[in-house]
Amino acid sequence: MNATVSIPLWLFVLLLALAAVACLQWFLLPGVRWYFRRKVRRVLDEIQLRLKIELPQFKLTRRRALIDRLMSDPRVLAAAQQHGIETGKSAEAVKKQVLGYAREIVPAFNAYVYFRVGYWLAKTFARLVYRVRLGYTDDAAIAAINPKSTVVFVMNHRSNMDYILVSFLAAERVALSYAVGEWARIWPLQGLIRAMGAYFVRRNSGDPLYRMVLQRYVQMATEGGVPQAMYPEGGLSVDGRLREPKLGLLDYMLKGFSPDAERDLVFIPVGINYDRVIEDRSLLRKLDETPIRGSLWRTLRITGAYLGRQFVFTLLGRRYRYGYACVNFGRPLSMRDWVRERGVDFRGLTDAQRREAVGAVGQALMATIGQTIPVLPVPLVARVLAADPQRAWSELELKAAVLALMERAENQGAHVYVPRSDRDYAISVGLRMLTLRHLALDDEGLIRANPAELRVLSYYANSIAHLFDPERQTGPEGPV
């Protein structure tokens, strides 16, 4: 009974590995899962009691269940069958393709990640870079929205900071689900974005099977009351102007909308503007006939040099934040009221008629977004300087011209953000930002636009151009 048993070393290592796996599977992982589920339950209790945010059941449904629901959807199955006929693929191969699309699109919302990790990161980073301000909000109209409605925040797209800024400012009211482009499908960003409830969208995909899977997910989320956020422009503005709306996601939401359903579909216009956009020069390079192709090394080199300069400026006490970043929330647009006033039923229209009706909604939303965009100090000063780049202004003359432009914007119903309620200070802040970046030159008290930086100066002036030049309110991209 006490005899020694010898076993090969490889067998001992194998048994040790199997024992470690069993320990991990039966003891450690259940404990970790219990710990994080407990954390999530605490967060859910807190947001329901303290913040009074009611998360729709669809948002809390397990990702696997949502994927299975998409896979068994009759319209997705019909599209898959048609795809198999057209391409000659086997049913199993098409099913695998649909599963890949569903896994790519469907998020994995985690309340703890959203309200603890994501909110803290968004707030910290936004405040580190900008003086963040919540400007105008139509509180009465937003408070009057039926709680059972599906709310969609529609906003202009100035910077990739838009995601961070709006999520941070809206986090105490709602947990937003974004439609995010393919740029974010990189490790480890992809996992964090999925946990935040965002879903990935392939822009300009010509695959009808993919479009059907995406369409059905968007419609399920909309019918399930998931608060969403979208950019009708479909991408970043490369010259600062508002773009014509792209209607894909909007069409998906409206295609099956019924005014008699329990849930109304309400669009809340959001206007975003910055005194400085982080990506301004790289966006403007896209307008070049032969744009410089970026590389990872070039990006890392530029980023490293920038971070180095900021570190030195911080040590010297000369680092300034990028001015003001302001978000306005405008008057909501109820689709139930819209269709009843116009006698429109999207469900009964032909494809051509529906595209026209959805286009009208898109144009109305873009007009409202344009009116909601905050007017900030830098765009005001930039517009005056860019309008007459050859002129040399005294500081008093420049301030008088900017003040007149500010009053003109207010008379047209625009929302001008005046820091500290001091107009003179606001203009001084805008001018300081432009001179620090050498977009404006100060030559012995005379201020003029820097001829070498006119395109960048115009980029900021263009952010409010639609308020003064309605006939030129969209950028060069044109209708889509």
Side-chain angles (χ1 to χ4, degrees):
M1 295 294 293
N2 297 321
T4 301
V5 178
S6 298
I7 61 172
L9 179 61
W10 67 266
L11 182 58
F12 174 75
V13 172
L14 178 61
L15 291 174
L16 196 64
L18 292 174
V21 170
C23 180
L24 182 68
Q25 181 175 355
W26 295 104
F27 295 101
L28 295 181
L29 287 182
V32 171
R33 284 195 291 265
W34 173 84
Y35 175 78
F36 281 107
R37 284 173 184 166
R38 184 164 169 262
K39 286 274 190 182
V40 170
R41 283 196 297 270
R42 284 184 175 180
V43 171
L44 291 174
D45 291 341
E46 180 181 339
I47 64 175
Q48 288 173 357
L49 293 175
R50 185 173 69 84
L51 302 180
K52 295 182 173 56
I53 296 175
E54 182 179 352
L55 295 176
Q57 190 58 44
F58 183 92
K59 202 172 185 71
L60 299 175
T61 303
R62 287 181 177 272
R63 183 168 183 258
R64 180 70 255 181
L66 294 178
I67 291 174
D68 291 341
R69 185 175 166 187
L70 265 180
M71 294 288 293
S72 60
D73 182 81
R75 276 175 275 187
V76 172
L77 292 175
Q81 184 178 17
Q82 182 63 31
H83 182 76
I85 294 172
E86 292 176 354
T87 61
K89 293 182 179 179
S90 66
E92 190 62 30
V94 175
K95 182 179 179 181
K96 187 176 180 180
Q97 187 175 349
V98 172
L99 179 60
Y101 290 155
R103 285 176 173 170
E104 177 184 317
I105 293 168
V106 176
F109 178 74
N110 184 299
Y112 183 84
V113 173
Y114 190 97
F115 288 101
R116 287 290 185 268
V117 180
Y119 175 76
W120 181 84
L121 286 174
K123 178 177 71 173
T124 302
F125 186 69
R127 287 180 170 173
L128 179 68
V129 179
Y130 293 105
R131 299 177 181 180
V132 179
R133 298 293 184 267
L134 177 60
Y136 168 80
T137 303
D138 196 331
D139 290 314
I142 292 175
I145 297 174
N146 188 322
K148 294 294 184 183
S149 301
T150 297
V151 175
V152 180
F153 291 79
V154 287
M155 58 197 80
N156 62 307
H157 204 2
R158 294 275 289 155
S159 167
N160 287 312
M161 276 293 297
D162 298 346
Y163 298 97
I164 297 172
L165 204 60
V166 176
S167 295
F168 156 46
L169 292 176
E172 295 193 1
R173 298 189 180 198
V174 70
L176 295 176
S177 177
Y178 278 96
V180 180
E182 292 179 278
W183 63 268
R185 292 187 59 203
I186 56 174
W187 186 90
L189 190 60
Q190 176 176 281
L192 177 62
I193 289 176
R194 283 196 197 283
M196 294 284 287
Y199 58 97
F200 294 99
V201 176
R202 296 185 186 182
R203 303 293 183 188
N204 305 315
S205 172
D207 184 350
L209 181 58
Y210 170 80
R211 304 300 294 183
M212 178 54 71
V213 177
L214 175 62
Q215 173 184 316
R216 288 303 297 141
Y217 172 76
V218 172
Q219 290 171 344
M220 288 176 183
T222 304
E223 292 163 4
V226 175
Q228 299 175 58
M230 60 178 286
Y231 302 99
E233 295 169 286
L236 289 167
S237 171
V238 296
D239 69 345
R241 292 183 181 273
L242 286 176
R243 303 169 65 181
E244 289 285 339
K246 291 186 177 181
L247 306 176
L249 291 178
L250 193 60
D251 183 47
Y252 294 162
M253 293 177 183
L254 295 176
K255 186 178 289 187
F257 176 73
S258 170
D260 301 318
E262 178 186 9
R263 294 189 187 277
D264 189 6
L265 179 58
V266 179
F267 294 101
I268 298 180
V270 181
I272 308 171
N273 211 352
Y274 302 87
D275 273 340
R276 179 174 179 180
V277 173
I278 296 173
E279 316 93 322
D280 52 8
R281 295 182 188 277
S282 56
L283 288 170
L284 285 168
R285 278 197 293 270
K286 295 180 180 180
L287 295 173
D288 296 338
E289 293 184 6
T290 54
I292 300 173
R293 294 191 63 181
S295 66
L296 178 59
W297 168 245
R298 183 174 182 273
T299 301
L300 290 175
R301 181 167 52 83
I302 293 174
T303 303
Y306 165 77
L307 292 176
R309 287 196 303 271
Q310 295 304 307
F311 178 72
V312 172
F313 289 156
T314 301
L315 292 178
L316 297 176
R318 292 170 50 197
R319 190 184 78 83
Y320 292 95
R321 282 181 287 181
Y322 284 180
Y324 291 94
C326 188
V327 179
N328 289 343
F329 294 87
R331 177 171 292 275
L333 175 63
S334 162
M335 290 314 302
R336 182 174 289 166
D337 295 341
W338 175 279
V339 299
R340 286 177 176 170
E341 288 172 4
R342 290 161 178 77
V344 177
D345 189 341
F346 294 99
R347 298 167 298 172
L349 301 178
T350 64
D351 286 346
Q353 291 172 332
R354 193 186 67 255
R355 279 194 293 270
E356 183 179 353
V358 172
V361 176
Q363 292 293 341
L365 289 174
M366 288 307 300
T368 311
I369 291 170
Q371 197 65 28
T372 308
I373 290 175
V375 179
L376 297 183
V378 164
L380 282 166
V381 179
R383 180 171 174 84
V384 171
L385 292 175
D388 191 355
Q390 305 301 323
R391 179 172 176 178
W393 303 76
S394 68
E395 184 174 344
L396 186 60
E397 290 174 331
L398 182 62
K399 286 187 173 182
V402 175
L403 183 61
L405 188 66
M406 191 182 295
E407 292 175 348
R408 180 181 166 193
E410 288 175 330
N411 291 336
Q412 293 181 356
H415 305 289
V416 180
Y417 177 71
V418 182
R420 302 183 184 178
S421 300
D422 186 335
R423 294 174 185 269
D424 182 72
Y425 172 77
I427 299 170
S428 297
V429 166
L431 181 58
R432 183 184 67 187
M433 283 289 299
L434 293 176
T435 52
L436 282 173
R437 297 191 64 195
H438 306 291
L439 302 182
L441 303 176
D442 188 341
D443 183 13
E444 297 181 356
L446 293 179
I447 303 160
R448 59 164 57 104
N450 185 345
E453 299 287 3
L454 277 180
R455 191 162 73 161
V456 181
L457 200 64
S458 297
Y459 172 85
Y460 289 96
N462 287 344
S463 69
I464 57 173
H466 57 280
L467 298 170
F468 307 100
D469 310 317
E471 70 283 356
R472 296 177 57 208
Q473 69 175 20
T474 55
E477 296 90 343
V480 178

